[in-house]
Amino acid sequence: MITLKQLAKELNVSISTVSKALNNSDEIGKETIKRVKELAEFYNYKPNKVALSLKQNKTKTIGVIIPDILNYYLAKVLFGIEREASEYGYNIITCISNESLEKEKESLQLLANGSVDGFILSLAKETQIKGEIAHFNRTIESGLPIVMFDRVAHDVICDKVIVDDFEATYNATKNLLAEKRKQIAFISSIDSLSVGKLRERGYIKAISETTTHQPLLLKMSNKKECSKKIKSFFKKNKTIDGIIAADSASGIISVNTAVNLGLSVPKNISVIAFGSKSVSYHSIPQLTTIRQHAKKIGSIAAQQLIKRLELKNAEKMEVTTKIVKTSLVKSKSTL
Amino acid sequence: MITLKQLAKELNVSISTVSKALNNSDEIGKETIKRVKELAEFYNYKPNKVALSLKQNKTKTIGVIIPDILNYYLAKVLFGIEREASEYGYNIITCISNESLEKEKESLQLLANGSVDGFILSLAKETQIKGEIAHFNRTIESGLPIVMFDRVAHDVICDKVIVDDFEATYNATKNLLAEKRKQIAFISSIDSLSVGKLRERGYIKAISETTTHQPLLLKMSNKKECSKKIKSFFKKNKTIDGIIAADSASGIISVNTAVNLGLSVPKNISVIAFGSKSVSYHSIPQLTTIRQHAKKIGSIAAQQLIKRLELKNAEKMEVTTKIVKTSLVKSKSTL
DNA sequence: TTGAAAGCGCTAACAG
DNA sequence: CTGTTAGCGCTTTCAA
């Protein structure tokens, strides 16, 4: 990489002249500016990012910590974050906590050495189970703002972007009830997550408000066993005619299993699941899904963080919690 | 963030003494080291990464440019890269080219300003179609090594990590032939990618070596239309009894569509597709898959780059191309 | 209109 | 054993 120093030497001017010329300072003569710019162009000069960061005490880099990059939803949020950030000239450093509290702490710690200006993150499963939040507070106190999305720690005072999980399943369940379904079950493989619990509560509320039958729940911890568990669940409960699935895998497997058992979807049984468009193609008939607008969540989170970073007296800015509304996209697995 | 300067002031010693003490220099007295470390601990001192990078002229950061983060396979490679990199104390800055040549160039350009020590990348679709490679060569000439994986530019001289795509479909096709399948088709929605072409060629070779029937190809550009196209393809070609799918979506949809049309899988028709374990659950019966060991590809790519970065005279190190062998994991969609 | 010098936080050669 | 100094690449005040 070519430096100002080298340019200055070759042009027989001082470093500061070159710097000013490249920044179009009106202190510098037109002729000089032209000469400098030409040579810079010739050598494809780019100001060294590290030096700039050191000087200006900000890196234009955001640390993103996500629990699982193989989760389609989380990957999509990341996509949204990246796009928005790069729009504003920010880079993102990605760390994957792999659902581990330890790795989450470590990443936070590691990047808090001047590598990033702030964080966007979603809590690791283990963090949610153990309820630890001290590491977040420490980070915020040290001057690095955090924006949390989806799986958030309510007790930490910071900006948050969440989904209306409770309402989403509440409405979805109501929707199946409106189809005159009599026995609606809730299937989840994300029971340990805050969002999983919210979704369950939305379902339970709708059921207990409207019907007399008990909520019917199938909760699984292991994705591997989903197929078997769902199959035996269906066999045991022959009267089920509706499914609310808290995650897309459960939804897809429910439809495919029902069809496989000779049930007609949606004639005998309707299925609604959290999930994206592309995953909806994985079942025949195609799955009716609750869309979370993951990209939007990502871009809102990025906007929020950048706004705070570029504010003069950021402390004075109140923290906000933005709720991104889901939409129910009807397809072929419901009436 | 607390700095050496502040520590030095509070301890009434010089900055360099503090620096040396923290680095356990034997120039410094035991007692002093102890005092310094205690205070550093107390303030939770962390050396400023940016200053270190500037001083040492390396960032311990890798730029990763991937075409599509929502592609499960690519996300998994990213996972492998991240894990390996963090093992060696490297961070990764992720850019998503979104299959666009322009964005790919831009990211490369942008990070070549001292932000990263080198790159790991897979080519954007557009880059492969247009065959542009100048931007890669420029980057390498400027001293930043590149490791390419999966979708590589053969004409660029750099380290590469690839999959034995050709052999994989060749062997998979042979496998179906060994099942006495008479009419095996090849279905792909990634025709424009280098790997897509290799996979097709492997299939064609196996077919033309062994049978007299013409290769039977269904190539789609639009994922959206997959379901319809596959359905009409099946209806038109009633004698098909085997499928090799170049991508997992095609495979999943093939199985589900076949079942839906009343065919028995694998009795009437066998299906093999490129894909991961988790995607194999999305069809009933479960899909037989060609596994690419994405995480391994990621970690090998990271290892290779880091090795080159930490070598003294890296130019002298020959470039290598590593081939990661696929494995055929049999499940319920084949005999 | 241009240049010299200081400083961002750190390391390391050299001096004391 | 400890301190002074220079320098990584850049911006910016102040002086010429």
Side-chain angles (χ1 to χ4, degrees):
Chain A
M1 274 192 52
I2 184 129
T3 65
L4 287 187
K5 200 178 180 179
Q6 295 167 52
L7 290 178
K9 193 173 166 198
E10 189 154 340
L11 289 162
N12 276 317
V13 293
S14 76
I15 293 176
S16 52
T17 302
V18 179
S19 169
K20 286 170 187 165
L22 290 173
N23 291 309
N24 290 314
S25 163
D26 47 8
E27 289 180 15
I28 305 295
K30 273 198 166 181
E31 184 54 32
T32 315
I33 292 191
K34 190 159 163 268
R35 280 177 59 223
V36 171
K37 284 201 169 175
E38 273 171 13
L39 197 71
E41 176 82 359
F42 176 73
Y43 282 121
N44 191 26
Y45 170 79
K46 296 265 169 271
N48 183 308
K49 177 88 180 299
V50 176
L52 278 180
S53 298
L54 182 61
K55 181 77 188 164
Q56 308 180 337
N57 198 25
K58 53 184 177 175
T59 59
K60 291 269 243 173
T61 302
I62 296 171
V64 179
I65 305 177
I66 51 175
D68 178 7
I69 185 77
L70 301 179
N71 176 314
Y72 191 83
Y73 164 71
L74 292 173
K76 211 160 171 177
V77 176
L78 179 60
F79 183 46
I81 295 172
E82 200 272 347
R83 209 174 44 180
E84 194 72 21
S86 86
E87 196 74 27
Y88 286 90
Y90 280 74
N91 286 319
I92 62 174
I93 289 189
T94 313
C95 292
I96 298 161
S97 69
N98 216 356
E99 306 289 8
S100 139
L101 169 59
E102 213 41 58
K103 181 89 198 294
E104 181 179 282
K105 277 185 182 171
E106 207 181 289
S107 305
L108 218 49
Q109 183 77 23
L110 227 60
L111 295 182
N113 64 355
S115 295
V116 302
D117 296 339
F119 291 95
I120 297 176
L121 58 85
S122 189
L123 273 65
K125 196 181 282 183
E126 195 189 349
T127 309
Q128 290 216 308
I129 292 171
K130 296 195 174 160
E132 273 206 42
I133 57 167
H135 52 307
F136 300 127
N137 287 329
R138 234 179 293 130
T139 305
I140 294 170
E141 275 163 31
S142 83
L144 294 173
I146 294 179
V147 176
M148 295 184 179
F149 70 89
D150 201 60
R151 309 183 195 164
V152 303
H154 288 289
D155 295 339
V156 175
I157 297 167
C158 65
D159 294 313
K160 286 158 198 152
V161 184
I162 55 176
V163 157
D164 62 338
D165 292 285
F166 179 85
E167 285 199 22
T169 43
Y170 178 81
N171 292 333
T173 310
K174 284 282 187 187
N175 209 283
L176 293 191
L177 288 165
E179 287 183 357
K180 308 283 181 212
R181 300 299 177 180
K182 299 295 173 211
Q183 176 84 321
I184 301 168
F186 177 83
I187 301 187
S188 169
S189 71
I190 54 167
D191 185 43
S192 54
L193 301 181
S194 56
V195 295
K197 296 199 175 75
L198 284 171
R199 291 171 192 177
E200 180 184 332
R201 296 220 312 259
Y203 155 82
I204 290 178
K205 175 151 188 248
I207 291 293
S208 47
E209 257 179 30
T210 320
T211 79
T212 54
H213 84 71
Q214 288 297 309
L216 189 54
L217 308 170
L218 173 62
K219 302 193 209 167
M220 299 162 293
S221 52
N222 192 340
K223 290 236 170 176
K224 214 168 159 185
E225 306 260 290
C226 270
S227 291
K228 280 181 197 162
K229 290 253 174 86
I230 289 176
K231 194 162 184 178
S232 64
F233 184 70
F234 279 175
K235 283 185 175 168
K236 196 180 301 172
N237 303 278
K238 304 258 186 203
T239 53
I240 292 176
D241 56 3
I243 301 286
I244 302 292
D247 60 283
S248 54
S250 301
I252 291 289
I253 294 171
S254 292
V255 174
N256 288 340
T257 302
V259 169
N260 203 246
L261 290 174
L263 296 166
S264 165
V265 176
K267 194 159 162 265
N268 306 138
I269 182 168
S270 279
V271 181
I272 299 179
F274 276 81
S276 65
K277 186 174 178 180
S278 72
V279 87
S280 74
Y281 294 127
H282 282 187
S283 68
I284 300 180
Q286 205 177 309
L287 192 60
T288 289
T289 44
I290 301 169
R291 301 282 170 80
Q292 297 168 271
H293 308 295
K295 267 182 285 188
K296 193 171 167 194
I297 292 172
S299 61
I300 290 179
Q303 270 170 27
Q304 184 63 26
L305 181 61
I306 292 171
K307 193 169 154 194
R308 190 173 286 279
L309 290 176
E310 303 199 335
L311 209 68
K312 290 291 158 214
N313 34 12
E315 296 74 30
K316 290 202 181 113
M317 184 173 151
E318 291 283 329
V319 302
T320 67
T321 293
K322 304 217 166 153
I323 298 175
V324 177
K325 281 216 180 304
T326 53
S327 8
L328 182 65
V329 177
K330 294 208 181 181
S331 183
K332 306 297 172 52
S333 69
T334 46
L335 291 177
Chain B
M1 275 191 50
I2 184 133
T3 65
L4 286 187
K5 201 177 179 180
Q6 296 167 52
L7 290 178
K9 193 173 166 199
E10 188 153 339
L11 289 163
N12 277 317
V13 294
S14 78
I15 294 176
S16 56
T17 302
V18 179
S19 170
K20 287 172 188 164
L22 291 174
N23 291 307
N24 290 313
S25 164
D26 46 9
E27 291 180 13
I28 305 295
K30 273 198 166 182
E31 184 53 32
T32 316
I33 292 191
K34 188 157 166 270
R35 279 177 60 221
V36 171
K37 286 202 166 175
E38 273 172 13
L39 198 70
E41 175 83 357
F42 176 73
Y43 282 121
N44 191 26
Y45 169 80
K46 296 264 167 271
N48 183 309
K49 177 88 180 296
V50 175
L52 277 180
S53 298
L54 182 61
K55 180 79 188 165
Q56 307 180 337
N57 198 26
K58 52 183 178 176
T59 60
K60 290 269 242 174
T61 303
I62 296 172
V64 179
I65 305 178
I66 50 175
D68 178 8
I69 184 79
L70 301 178
N71 177 313
Y72 190 83
Y73 164 71
L74 292 173
K76 210 160 171 177
V77 176
L78 179 61
F79 183 45
I81 295 173
E82 200 272 346
R83 209 175 41 180
E84 194 72 20
S86 87
E87 197 73 26
Y88 286 90
Y90 281 74
N91 286 319
I92 63 175
I93 290 190
T94 312
C95 291
I96 298 161
S97 69
N98 216 359
E99 306 289 9
S100 140
L101 170 60
E102 214 41 60
K103 181 87 198 294
E104 182 180 281
K105 277 186 184 171
E106 207 181 290
S107 306
L108 217 49
Q109 183 78 26
L110 228 61
L111 295 183
N113 63 356
S115 295
V116 303
D117 296 340
F119 290 95
I120 296 176
L121 59 85
S122 189
L123 274 65
K125 197 181 282 183
E126 197 189 347
T127 309
Q128 290 216 307
I129 292 171
K130 296 196 174 161
E132 275 206 41
I133 57 169
H135 52 306
F136 299 128
N137 287 328
R138 234 181 291 128
T139 306
I140 294 170
E141 275 163 31
S142 84
L144 294 173
I146 295 179
V147 177
M148 296 184 178
F149 70 89
D150 202 57
R151 309 182 194 166
V152 303
H154 288 289
D155 296 340
V156 176
I157 298 167
C158 66
D159 294 313
K160 286 158 196 150
V161 184
I162 56 177
V163 157
D164 62 338
D165 292 285
F166 179 85
E167 286 199 23
T169 45
Y170 178 82
N171 292 334
T173 311
K174 285 281 186 187
N175 210 283
L176 292 191
L177 288 165
E179 286 183 356
K180 307 283 180 211
R181 300 300 176 178
K182 298 295 173 207
Q183 176 85 321
I184 301 167
F186 177 82
I187 301 186
S188 169
S189 70
I190 55 168
D191 185 42
S192 54
L193 301 181
S194 56
V195 294
K197 297 201 175 75
L198 284 171
R199 290 171 194 179
E200 181 183 331
R201 297 221 313 260
Y203 156 81
I204 289 179
K205 174 149 190 250
I207 291 294
S208 46
E209 260 180 27
T210 319
T211 78
T212 55
H213 85 69
Q214 289 295 309
L216 188 55
L217 307 170
L218 173 61
K219 301 191 209 168
M220 300 161 293
S221 51
N222 192 338
K223 290 235 167 170
K224 215 170 159 183
E225 305 259 290
C226 271
S227 291
K228 280 180 196 163
K229 291 255 173 86
I230 289 176
K231 194 164 184 177
S232 63
F233 184 70
F234 278 173
K235 282 184 176 170
K236 196 180 298 170
N237 303 278
K238 303 260 186 201
T239 53
I240 291 176
D241 55 4
I243 300 286
I244 302 291
D247 59 282
S248 54
S250 300
I252 292 288
I253 294 171
S254 293
V255 174
N256 287 339
T257 302
V259 169
N260 202 247
L261 289 174
L263 296 166
S264 163
V265 177
K267 193 158 161 268
N268 305 137
I269 182 168
S270 278
V271 181
I272 298 179
F274 276 81
S276 64
K277 187 173 177 179
S278 73
V279 87
S280 75
Y281 294 125
H282 282 187
S283 69
I284 298 178
Q286 204 176 310
L287 192 60
T288 288
T289 44
I290 300 169
R291 301 282 170 80
Q292 297 167 272
H293 308 296
K295 266 181 287 188
K296 193 171 165 195
I297 292 172
S299 62
I300 290 180
Q303 269 170 26
Q304 184 63 24
L305 182 61
I306 291 171
K307 193 170 154 194
R308 190 173 285 279
L309 290 176
E310 303 200 334
L311 209 67
K312 289 294 158 210
N313 34 10
E315 296 76 28
K316 293 205 181 113
M317 185 174 151
E318 291 284 330
V319 302
T320 66
T321 294
K322 305 218 166 154
I323 298 175
V324 177
K325 282 216 179 304
T326 53
S327 9
L328 182 65
V329 178
K330 295 208 180 182
S331 184
K332 305 297 172 54
S333 70
T334 46
L335 291 178

